[in-house]
Amino acid sequence: MSNRAARTAPKIPAASGKRTANGKARALEADGEIGLDGLLGHAGYAVRRFQIWIFQDFVCTLAAVDIKPTQYSVLTVIGANPGLSQMAVAQRLGIERARLVHLLDSLEDRKLVRRVRSRTDRRSHALHLTARGEASLRQFKLLAAEHERHVAEKIGSENREQLLRILSSFT
Amino acid sequence: MSNRAARTAPKIPAASGKRTANGKARALEADGEIGLDGLLGHAGYAVRRFQIWIFQDFVCTLAAVDIKPTQYSVLTVIGANPGLSQMAVAQRLGIERARLVHLLDSLEDRKLVRRVRSRTDRRSHALHLTARGEASLRQFKLLAAEHERHVAEKIGSENREQLLRILSSFT
DNA sequence: AAAGATTGTTGTTGACGACAACAATTGTTC
DNA sequence: GAACAATTGTTGTCGTCAACAACAATCTTT
């Protein structure tokens, strides 16, 4: 256990403490229970809250190597498919090519990725990991696996797998 | 079916067409199948993609009334708990009070919400729906229910309920 | 009464999705 | 083969959103 989820990032309010900082719970409304009414039946709301939690845990877990979820996804795809064009990566990950430009600029500055001009199509760049990039990615994957264990601890291992099945059509 | 998810918002590329606009599929890599490698096992990636889809459908479905998910959640909570302070609403929904200020400014401009100075604590504002706000919220809920049916169509009704169960601890 | 905490507010920063325009290059069509 | 259309990478803008810092007004605590 411990403070795994408190490093560089957000303010993770110690889960569900909800006291007014000095120990006195808010007594304004009813009993402290604020109803969500219709929101409880909305998948989008639950998913949004979960997404925020998962994002924060990922950032915290990979804070030491300064890799954010999007960067990780880009490195992973390039690592698994060397030579892809920026367009192909952007399409596959569902991010805009305009945004990928900046992501790659950053990763290239850190010597993790190389842009090589394609000879078959001189408009596009073939993307490759550098040696340093491949070594780093191996380490990132270890940390990402640790993050994934946090998720399993949070919602339950079987629930996590079920969730992956349910959402498999979105990958 | 039909083009329900194409109104004001994004560019929904007709699902998984993936052809280069003129009918010739990209042949650069392997066979068109770009592996995601490790990403497939990450709940965060699937959740992110799903969250984007669900957000877009919500925005499209409620485009006619110009209500975004966050606005809807604020209206719902205020409607179910009249008199809440901004701080209480922000805490309950997990949004920052700084951000809630602008959200309420917008909703108040549209005469959907009123800020009333609390007599017990003159720092805080008691939040209420206007009559117009309550009537509007009823309509918004109908549209939100329609959106929720879209979700059920997309991932399956039983999967949706299971997902709500799995993520119930985040609401 | 003085010190500290809370509430609403304003402003800044950075990540992100959407969009528009551009140069270079490729593909298509007549 | 020349004119036109489409694609790729790039730059820039706009709006949303989370995080954070600072402030005045107002409780709360000591």
Side-chain angles (χ1 to χ4, degrees), chain B residues 38-157:
Chain B
L39 284 188
L40 289 177
H42 283 296
Y45 180 71
V47 168
R48 170 179 161 264
R49 300 296 298 258
F50 181 52
Q51 216 272 329
I52 292 175
W53 183 91
I54 223 173
F55 185 92
Q56 288 181 350
D57 185 88
F58 188 99
V59 171
C60 290
T61 307
L62 298 196
V65 293
D66 191 29
I67 287 291
K68 260 85 71 76
T70 316
Q71 295 174 313
Y72 179 75
S73 68
V74 170
L75 289 175
T76 300
V77 166
I78 296 177
N81 314 83
L84 279 186
S85 70
Q86 298 186 191
M87 200 51 207
V89 171
Q91 270 183 186
R92 177 66 247 230
L93 289 178
I95 56 188
E96 289 195 38
R97 63 184 201 272
R99 170 151 173 59
L100 186 60
V101 171
H102 302 298
L103 285 169
L104 288 175
D105 285 348
S106 161
L107 295 175
E108 208 171 23
D109 286 348
R110 292 170 64 176
K111 313 292 185 195
L112 300 177
V113 168
R114 266 189 328 162
R115 281 189 253 224
V116 185
R117 299 207 69 93
S118 165
R119 274 198 82 273
T120 65
D121 185 343
R122 289 166 53 196
R123 291 171 302 180
S124 64
H125 294 161
L127 301 174
H128 297 273
L129 294 185
T130 64
R132 188 162 179 274
E134 293 189 22
S136 297
L137 181 54
R138 273 191 290 274
Q139 184 193 4
F140 301 163
K141 284 183 177 176
L142 294 179
L143 292 171
E146 185 186 334
H147 153 71
E148 209 58 27
R149 280 192 295 275
H150 298 169
V151 175
E153 287 175 21
K154 180 72 175 178
I155 66 176
S157 190

Side-chain angles (χ1 to χ4, degrees), chain A residues 19-85:
Chain A
R19 359 195 99 259
T20 172
N22 56 3
K24 175 173 298 183
R26 57 176 155 58
L28 282 177
E29 281 310 309
D31 202 31
E33 291 310 318
I34 302 180
L36 281 179
D37 193 47
L39 284 187
L40 289 177
H42 283 296
Y45 180 71
V47 168
R48 169 180 160 263
R49 299 297 296 258
F50 181 53
Q51 215 272 330
I52 292 175
W53 184 90
I54 224 173
F55 184 91
Q56 289 181 349
D57 185 89
F58 188 99
V59 171
C60 291
T61 307
L62 298 199
V65 294
D66 191 29
I67 287 291
K68 260 84 71 76
T70 315
Q71 295 175 314
Y72 179 75
S73 68
V74 171
L75 289 175
T76 300
V77 167
I78 296 178
N81 314 82
L84 279 186
S85 70

